[in-house]
Every structure is written in structure tokens, then in C-alpha cells.
Amino acid sequence: MTFGLEVEPGSMPAAFFRAVEETVRATLARWSIPACAVTMTRSGYYARQSHSHGTFDRSMSSTAGDFRDLTPIVLREALNRAGTVECEPVHRFRLDVPADAISAVTQAVARLRGTPLQTTSDGAEARVEGDLPAAAVHELRRRLPGLTRGEGVLETAFDRYEPRT
């Protein structure tokens, strides 16, 4: 992730720019966006203010916390305006199971947003092949022994990225 400035460096305190950049990086990481170029093109803040001869009044001045709170909102709007499509990794899977477990296994795959593409059966054994979001692979591995009496074998490999649904 890169962060650039197309605003006058002195247009607000350096600490505020750091707050924005840190929040951009943390927000993109939290949203699982691994690669992105962000450029800040506008900025503004209310300089330290107070009533006449008073002490600093936070309610009348911008703080770095204000920029931390606002940055995710502005970032989401910028991504939406840019037409960004959020994608997730999809794995191709091959699953060998007892034939009598095929129904339970395909239902579990579907509940995990997977798509069985081909099912074959050869007597007591069956094979299911299809696609599964990478985020669901661990959960399918966890459920598989209970669905197949410990006889299921799952193989997965990254296949592609698809828009997140």
C-alpha cells in the first residue's frame, strides 16, 4: 500500500497527516485489501481555537482523533466512487468421500458458499469437485471428519479471485 500527498505539506500539522496515513493503512488491512495506492488530494482543519484568552477548547479545534475517525468514512466513499470491486480468493477443491455421505457433504459445501461442479460415484466411493471461497476451506476441513466418519479426503488449491458476494 502506498500513501501519497497532493496537498500542501504545511496545510495541516504533520501529526494529522501521520494520523490519516496510519488509519488508511490499518483500515485497508482490516478490510483485507492487500494492494492499493491512496493519494490525499484535499485537507483542511480548524486550527487551535478557544474563547478569548481561554485555554484550548477541543470542541472548537480539530484533533488527530478527528482525522482517525473520519478517514475510514472518506476511504470507503473514495473506493465506492472509483468503482472498486472487492474480490476474494477462490480455491478449486477435490473431495473424496464415502458415497453415502455425498448429500451431507454437498450441503455443507453449499452452506459455506461453495459450488460443487462435478460429482461422480463409483460404488462405495464418491468424488466431489468444485469451487470454495478460501476463507471457508478451514471450516470445511474442520467439519469433514464428522460428515464422513473420518473417511473424507479434501484437496484444495488456489484457483482465482472473484468479486465478493
Side-chain angles (χ1 to χ4, degrees), residues 92-99 101-110 112 116-121 125-132 137 140-145 147-148 151-156:
R92 182 61 55 125
F93 73 86
R94 183 172 66 206
L95 189 51
D96 293 319
V97 299
I102 196 78
S103 178
V105 168
T106 56
Q107 288 176 22
V109 167
L112 293 170
L117 298 174
Q118 183 176 355
T119 303
T120 56
S121 182
E125 296 179 7
R127 174 171 285 172
V128 181
E129 296 180 69
D131 296 329
L132 186 67
V137 169
L140 182 58
R141 282 191 200 284
R142 191 185 70 72
R143 291 183 188 180
L144 192 57
L147 296 169
T148 65
E151 297 178 36
V153 177
L154 174 64
E155 295 178 28
T156 65

Side-chain angles (χ1 to χ4, degrees), residues 3 5 7-22 40 43 67:
F3 181 81
L5 294 176
V7 296
E8 186 70 34
S11 62
M12 62 184 201
F16 291 9
F17 285 118
R18 278 193 305 277
V20 170
E21 181 175 1
E22 289 168 3
M40 187 172 181
S43 67
F67 286 87

Side-chain angles (χ1 to χ4, degrees), residues 7-157:
V7 296
E8 186 70 34
S11 62
M12 62 184 201
F16 291 9
F17 285 118
R18 278 193 305 277
V20 170
E21 181 175 1
E22 289 168 3
T23 305
V24 164
R25 289 180 186 282
T27 301
L28 292 175
R30 190 171 53 254
W31 292 344
S32 300
I33 299 175
C36 189
V38 176
T39 303
M40 187 172 181
T41 59
R42 293 179 67 191
S43 67
Y45 84 109
Y46 290 106
R48 182 177 178 143
Q49 298 177 15
S50 63
H51 296 288
S52 295
H53 307 291
T55 59
F56 173 70
D57 185 346
R58 177 176 293 215
S59 69
M60 297 175 67
S61 306
S62 296
T63 66
D66 296 331
F67 286 87
R68 283 189 186 90
D69 292 342
L70 187 58
T71 296
I73 297 165
V74 173
L75 187 57
R76 175 58 72 191
E77 179 63 21
L79 290 170
N80 289 340
R81 284 185 183 182
T84 303
V85 176
E86 194 173 342
C87 295
E88 66 181 335
V90 175
H91 284 219
R92 182 61 55 125
F93 73 86
R94 183 172 66 206
L95 189 51
D96 293 319
V97 299
D100 64 345
I102 196 78
S103 178
V105 168
T106 56
Q107 288 176 22
V109 167
R111 278 193 297 277
L112 293 170
R113 298 186 306 119
T115 306
L117 298 174
Q118 183 176 355
T119 303
T120 56
S121 182
D122 182 19
E125 296 179 7
R127 174 171 285 172
V128 181
E129 296 180 69
D131 296 329
L132 186 67
V137 169
H138 176 73
E139 183 61 21
L140 182 58
R141 282 191 200 284
R142 191 185 70 72
R143 291 183 188 180
L144 192 57
L147 296 169
T148 65
R149 300 178 304 283
E151 297 178 36
V153 177
L154 174 64
E155 295 178 28
T156 65

